[in-house]
Amino acid sequence: MSVPADRGAELVARDARVLWHPYTQHATEAAPLPVARAQDASLFLADGSELIDAISSWWSCLHGHGRPELVAALSRQAAALDHVLFAGATHEPAVALAERLIEVTPGGLTRVFFSDNGSTAVEVALKMAYQAWVHRGEPQRKVLVALTGGYHGDTFGAMAVGDPEPFFRPFQPLLFPVLRVAPEQASLEAGLEELGDRAAGVIIEPLVQGAAGMVMHPPAFVAAARAACDCAGVPLIADEVLTGFGRTGSLFACGKAGVLPDLLCLGKGLSGGVLPLAATLATEEIYRAFLSADRGRAFFHGHTFTANPIACAAGLASLEIVLREDVPGKLERIGRTIEEGLAPAARAPGVRELRRTGGIVALELEPRPGEAAGYLAALGPRLRAAAIQRGVLLRPLGNVLYAMPPACTTEEQCRRIAAVMAELALF
Ligand SMILES: *Cc1c(COP(=O)(O)O)cnc(C)c1O
């Protein structure tokens, strides 16, 4: 089903007339890629050319594209029950997926609240954490502690807990105040100490801060965050929208750190990356804070497509594959192969650091002379274009080149990804 090349050009021209793309400066950026189809770790463009999807289509495509079990599960479900409201109704895919999630996530999480994107999974966690304090008679606990470099999505609550740089500066006057601390134990403890009974909770991206440029922490930091929360008596919110389902080489980053969060946010790979689906898991203690004879104390949050049956069916099929095929182990091996391929480049001048957690490998470059570092570095779009010319889809975060391909990526494809990244490091 290939599309003629001129159809690609026509598609891009039509796109330019009507579309507004995410995270895109339309005044300067290159035209979008006309993608005709995808299979396994490859995207096929309108002209028939092939690109290795080395970033899992924005960190979501977990197994690879066109996985037959997922296609079958979601088409079967679409024919049986496509959608029904989730207030006052329930269905097998949602119940079964919630049961499985409770089994496989770190212990202590007993309640699953579905939504449809990672930002919303975070909004839900923030609202649950705060409303629970209101119900417990401590409404003054309204300051969340968040990390420098943190990214939790693009909706208002998620922006508030996210680092204002480089994305959210214009919105600061509209966002609720947050106490931002460096991702290290002493700063976190001092922050909670300073807040005292004004602290509402702590939100972290365990092990890997994705959008910050794949900044990595040791498991001991996650454990320290848990201990600091226990000491302060506040919930730990783990945003595993990126790190969940094997990306760190373990099923969950919290599990790798031996930590049980109070609230856990999932998205991206939850559906295997094929449909919008997210979830917020909560402890029974938080859930119970909302139980009351007073209907006004319910958690008033919900979306039209909460627990969409087709997305839940895909999620269930994906989770079975994750467990049956040891996706965390596969991603760990993929990460190691790419890291090995990059080892010589890591010693090149102009390379600041090579780092890896599980299947996420980052090569941080020195800022080029006269150029800013960080996400807005002009280097990013240049490297992206050069990678695409070489048959690999990369989307550098400023001067950080990274790969995070799906679990089906072959050894040869891993070596190709590493070779292209190594070549780009010398630009
Ligand atoms: C991508 C991401 C989000 C936001 O998820 P969306 O589905 O894009 O809204 C939140 N937190 C983390 C850690 C992410 O990487």
Side-chain angles (χ1 to χ4, degrees):
M1 226 182 42
S2 89
V3 179
D6 55 349
R7 192 107 60 86
E10 191 219 72
L11 188 65
V12 169
R14 282 167 51 211
D15 174 291
R17 281 194 290 274
V18 295
L19 279 161
W20 191 339
H21 287 264
Y23 280 85
T24 299
Q25 176 45 267
H26 281 281
T28 58
E29 261 180 56
L33 300 168
V35 183
R37 62 187 188 89
Q39 186 62 48
D40 304 324
S42 296
L43 302 174
F44 295 91
L45 305 189
D47 65 1
S49 62
E50 181 178 350
L51 281 182
I52 302 174
D53 186 357
I55 54 168
S56 293
S57 291
W58 253 359
W59 318 348
S60 61
C61 177
L62 193 58
H63 310 291
H65 295 277
R67 181 77 193 223
E69 295 96 316
L70 297 189
V71 176
L74 66 91
S75 47
R76 218 172 23 240
Q77 185 56 46
L81 171 64
D82 47 8
H83 185 64
V84 65
L85 78 168
F86 207 60
T90 193
H91 48 77
E92 175 67 25
V95 175
L97 180 56
E99 288 170 346
R100 290 300 272 147
L101 287 172
I102 288 168
E103 278 167 27
V104 302
T105 50
L109 300 166
T110 59
R111 298 284 163 177
V112 180
F113 191 100
F114 283 114
S115 57
D116 44 35
N117 64 81
S119 307
T120 304
V122 170
E123 297 285 339
V124 166
L126 300 177
K127 287 175 70 174
M128 283 177 174
Y130 181 64
Q131 197 178 342
W133 285 125
V134 173
H135 291 332
R136 294 181 194 120
E138 291 204 64
Q140 84 289 352
R141 286 197 177 269
K142 53 189 175 192
V143 184
L144 285 143
V145 179
L147 302 182
T148 309
Y151 174 82
H152 302 286
D154 296 343
T155 52
F156 271 83
M159 286 198 291
V161 287
D163 196 313
E165 302 304 337
F167 306 131
F168 306 134
R169 180 57 62 195
F171 300 102
Q172 287 310 297
L174 306 184
L175 302 179
F176 56 77
V178 159
L179 183 69
R180 195 162 303 286
V181 300
E184 56 195 31
Q185 182 176 351
S187 307
L188 184 55
E189 287 170 357
L192 282 168
E193 174 97 5
E194 176 193 326
L195 287 173
D197 74 352
R198 290 180 299 138
V202 173
I203 182 164
I204 63 169
E205 292 162 87
L207 298 185
V208 183
Q209 291 184 298
M214 302 302 155
V215 173
M216 297 175 188
H217 312 131
F221 173 68
V222 183
R226 172 73 274 177
C229 286
D230 286 342
C231 188
V234 297
L236 175 65
I237 305 170
D239 177 355
E240 293 223 36
V241 171
L242 162 64
T243 52
F245 303 101
R247 290 287 177 198
T248 66
S250 293
L251 196 50
F252 295 98
C254 282
K256 192 166 181 168
V259 159
L260 313 181
D262 299 281
L263 290 156
L264 174 68
C265 308
L266 302 174
K268 294 195 169 123
L270 172 57
S271 68
V274 299
L275 283 171
L277 182 66
T280 307
L281 278 75
T283 58
E284 200 66 9
E285 190 196 339
I286 291 172
Y287 174 75
R288 286 193 172 276
F290 291 77
L291 299 183
S292 166
D294 178 0
R295 288 183 62 212
R297 288 168 59 120
F299 185 53
F300 288 114
H301 190 108
H303 294 278
T304 309
F305 291 108
T306 298
N308 172 257
I310 306 173
C312 288
L316 204 51
S318 171
L319 188 50
E320 293 318 315
I321 299 171
V322 168
L323 300 174
R324 186 176 72 234
E325 299 187 352
D326 183 23
V327 162
K330 277 190 183 175
L331 292 171
E332 177 79 36
R333 283 191 292 281
I334 283 169
R336 208 182 300 136
T337 306
I338 296 173
E339 183 186 34
E340 281 163 14
L342 282 171
R347 292 185 289 273
V351 173
R352 189 179 274 177
E353 189 183 46
L354 170 62
R355 54 181 178 264
R356 175 177 80 87
T357 299
I360 306 172
V361 189
L363 192 65
E364 180 165 341
L365 309 181
E366 298 288 355
R368 296 308 185 237
E371 271 190 14
Y375 179 84
L376 295 175
L379 189 61
R382 279 208 310 275
L383 295 177
R384 176 170 187 258
I388 289 168
Q389 274 170 9
R390 288 158 178 75
V392 176
L393 180 63
L394 296 176
R395 199 181 154 84
L397 291 156
N399 54 321
V400 179
L401 271 169
Y402 70 91
M404 185 192 312
C408 68
T409 310
T410 64
E411 206 171 318
E412 189 189 327
Q413 286 172 321
C414 289
R415 281 198 288 267
R416 180 74 197 140
I417 292 168
V420 169
M421 287 173 74
E423 196 185 343
L424 262 46
L426 304 174
F427 262 45

